[in-house]
Amino acid sequence: MTRFLMILMLATGLAGCSTIGGWFGDKRNETEILPVEEMYATGKEALENRNYARAGRYYQRLVARFPFGEYSEQAQLELAYVQYKLAMTEEATSTINRFIRTYPTHPHIDYAYYLKALINFDRSSSALLRLTRQDLATRDLGAPTQSLNDFADVVRRYPNSRYAPDARQRMVFLRNLLARHEVGVGQYYLRRGAYVAAANRGKYLLQTYPQSEHDGDALALMAASYAALGQDDLAADARKVLEANHPNHAYLSQGDKWPQGTGIISRINPFD
């Protein structure tokens, strides 16, 4: 029995050895033994097959084992995209910011800036918002504002980049989104009788987001607020500009009934 126990202990110890371990079915993790070229190829294949979790594992381990070199640089860039696709927003932001700081002259640095903006663009579009179908303009606008600045950075730094046209289109969407938020706040002030605040919100909208699709609403806010304040000349000027540029705007036909919804629910809901 004693000899049997000693043999069993010896066999157990040998099973942990990399040379003998194979006899007992133990296989070392591929990410610990593959050369850098094969690790990157495996991660890239997983990425192309949309197996983002597997791609992330290989990219992360590649960067840890081989922190320098062409493969490591590309792995870090693709790791940020993988994390973005996995909705790992904070991790993706950290990875892409680190990449931009470390490789400012990388051949694909324009894509890095674009991906940074894209991460913030989708930050507000969580599954919860999609399921409940809430208007993004009624939510916290920190991420859309940051995303707008990031896309503007792409266009400013790399106007001829392949990503610049899409960045410009997303900027238009974001400007309209932020402008719609300002309209909602201004209408809330108007319904509550805070006419000075409503008029100022309309002016702010025109100055900050000129030529947005809500310019007409900004002018209507100003016209309605000035009229309520007894500032007839200012109200008339705002109305003339509104008539010239947005002749079909609801305010022109509804007058002091614009915006609709003057009940108790509308008065307490700033985004009704």
Side-chain angles (χ1 to χ4, degrees), residues 60 76-99 101 115-116 119 123:
Q60 284 183 314
Q76 290 182 53
L77 186 58
E78 292 175 10
L79 174 60
Y81 176 76
V82 165
Q83 292 169 331
Y84 160 67
K85 296 299 289 185
L86 290 173
M88 300 170 63
T89 305
E90 300 302 329
E91 293 84 347
T93 300
S94 177
T95 300
I96 201 63
N97 284 336
R98 183 167 58 252
F99 180 89
R101 290 194 305 269
L115 180 57
K116 176 183 177 181
I119 293 168
R123 188 187 293 265

Side-chain angles (χ1 to χ4, degrees), residues 41-159:
T42 303
K44 185 70 172 179
E45 181 182 9
L47 174 60
E48 292 174 348
N49 292 330
R50 300 185 180 181
N51 188 344
Y52 300 121
R54 177 177 171 83
R57 287 196 302 271
Y58 275 83
Y59 286 147
Q60 284 183 314
R61 194 57 194 147
L62 186 155
V63 172
R65 289 181 58 204
F66 310 98
F68 305 105
E70 180 180 353
Y71 287 105
S72 180
E73 293 179 17
Q74 192 63 26
Q76 290 182 53
L77 186 58
E78 292 175 10
L79 174 60
Y81 176 76
V82 165
Q83 292 169 331
Y84 160 67
K85 296 299 289 185
L86 290 173
M88 300 170 63
T89 305
E90 300 302 329
E91 293 84 347
T93 300
S94 177
T95 300
I96 201 63
N97 284 336
R98 183 167 58 252
F99 180 89
I100 291 172
R101 290 194 305 269
T102 307
Y103 308 108
T105 60
H106 192 275
H108 302 301
I109 192 64
D110 58 334
Y111 170 72
Y113 277 96
Y114 172 76
L115 180 57
K116 176 183 177 181
L118 201 61
I119 293 168
N120 278 322
F121 182 82
D122 285 0
R123 188 187 293 265
S124 298
S125 302
S126 64
L128 177 61
L129 290 179
R130 290 195 296 270
L131 288 174
T132 57
R133 297 183 179 180
Q134 295 183 34
D135 186 353
L136 286 177
T138 68
R139 308 298 297 178
D140 174 41
L141 299 179
T145 301
Q146 182 61 53
S147 181
L148 176 62
N149 295 334
D150 290 342
F151 282 123
D153 204 23
V154 173
V155 174
R156 179 179 61 84
R157 290 173 179 269
Y158 312 103

Side-chain angles (χ1 to χ4, degrees), residues 19 57 97 152 161 231 235 244 250 259 262 267 269:
T19 304
R57 287 196 302 271
N97 284 336
S161 168
Q231 301 288 333
T262 57
R267 288 198 298 271
N269 180 6

Side-chain angles (χ1 to χ4, degrees), residues 4 11 15 19 23 33 70 100 120 125 130 137 152 154 156 172 179 190 194 214 216-217 221 227 230 237:
F4 174 77
T19 304
W23 299 352
I33 59 176
E70 180 180 353
I100 291 172
N120 278 322
S125 302
R130 290 195 296 270
V154 173
R156 179 179 61 84
V172 171
L190 187 63
H214 296 286
D217 295 324
L221 276 174
D237 290 342

Side-chain angles (χ1 to χ4, degrees), residues 180-190 198 201 221 270-271:
R180 187 164 73 249
H181 172 80
E182 298 300 331
V183 170
V185 175
Q187 289 178 343
Y188 170 71
Y189 288 148
L190 187 63
R201 188 66 64 157
L221 276 174
F271 300 108

